[in-house]
Amino acid sequence: VIFLVVRSQTELFVGAAPGIRARGGAAVDLTVHVHDGRESRVVAPGAVVRPGDKARFEVLVGKPGFVMVVGMDDRGEHYACWPQEDNPAAMKMDASDKPVVSPTAIEFDETPGDEHLFALWCDHPFMLSDLAPSVTASVFAAPATAPVGCTMTRVDLRKVGR
């Protein structure tokens, strides 16, 4: 179940507006900011994005643990959104009432279809390669499920051509 909470946001891109946060329970919440080259907006699940749009993330961590933001396209290709490394390790994060903003952005490619974004929180360290089967299964599960010892927030975006 995803709950949406409206609140004001810190500017992540010039012109960022107040937005919508996807709730993932007590452990992790995810806000996605998209910049289309002209303006920035906070997007809700189901929003339209285009190839070349850039996305930044902010997470709100409700209890100490390990956090990673992961993306997957409709072909099942996984990619690290934050941290952005080859097979990154999850970031150890403390609980906070202030969101943490990703220092870098991703750019949506030309691959047709939807983009599925996940903020994962686990009570143990993990790597991107540890998540591939769970993330893939959760895209097609109803409701989405997280690996044991983990919770996640999912935001699905519709990618259309320019």
Side-chain angles (χ1 to χ4, degrees):
V1 176
I2 294 178
F3 297 97
L4 299 177
V5 178
V6 178
R7 70 172 191 80
S8 62
Q9 304 288 47
T10 304
E11 283 197 15
L12 296 181
F13 294 108
V14 175
I20 299 169
R21 175 176 300 283
R23 305 239 356 155
V28 65
D29 297 340
L30 174 66
T31 300
V32 180
H33 299 257
V34 173
H35 195 283
D36 65 7
R38 294 175 310 228
E39 62 184 12
S40 179
R41 69 190 191 283
V42 175
V43 296
V48 172
V49 296
R50 291 180 164 63
D53 286 355
K54 293 184 168 111
R56 287 187 71 185
F57 309 96
E58 70 177 65
V59 295
L60 185 63
V61 179
K63 56 186 175 181
F66 297 84
V67 177
M68 181 182 293
V69 179
V70 177
M72 189 177 92
D73 63 27
D74 274 351
R75 295 181 307 180
E77 299 283 329
H78 300 87
Y79 53 93
C81 295
W82 181 30
Q84 290 183 0
E85 303 161 8
D86 290 334
N87 195 28
M91 303 167 287
K92 184 171 180 19
M93 297 179 88
D94 292 324
S96 177
D97 60 353
K98 295 186 190 280
V100 179
V101 179
S102 63
T104 57
I106 64 162
E107 183 173 328
F108 294 114
D109 65 12
E110 298 286 335
T111 304
D114 294 344
E115 296 286 339
H116 312 281
L117 304 171
F118 302 86
L120 289 111
W121 173 98
C122 294
D123 59 9
H124 57 275
F126 64 93
M127 308 277 293
L128 177 62
S129 59
D130 300 332
L131 297 174
S134 296
V135 171
T136 301
S138 71
V139 168
F140 301 105
T145 57
V148 174
C150 303
T151 63
M152 69 178 173
T153 301
R154 174 179 166 177
V155 176
D156 296 323
L157 302 174
R158 261 186 58 235
K159 186 168 51 174
V160 299
R162 283 252 172 231

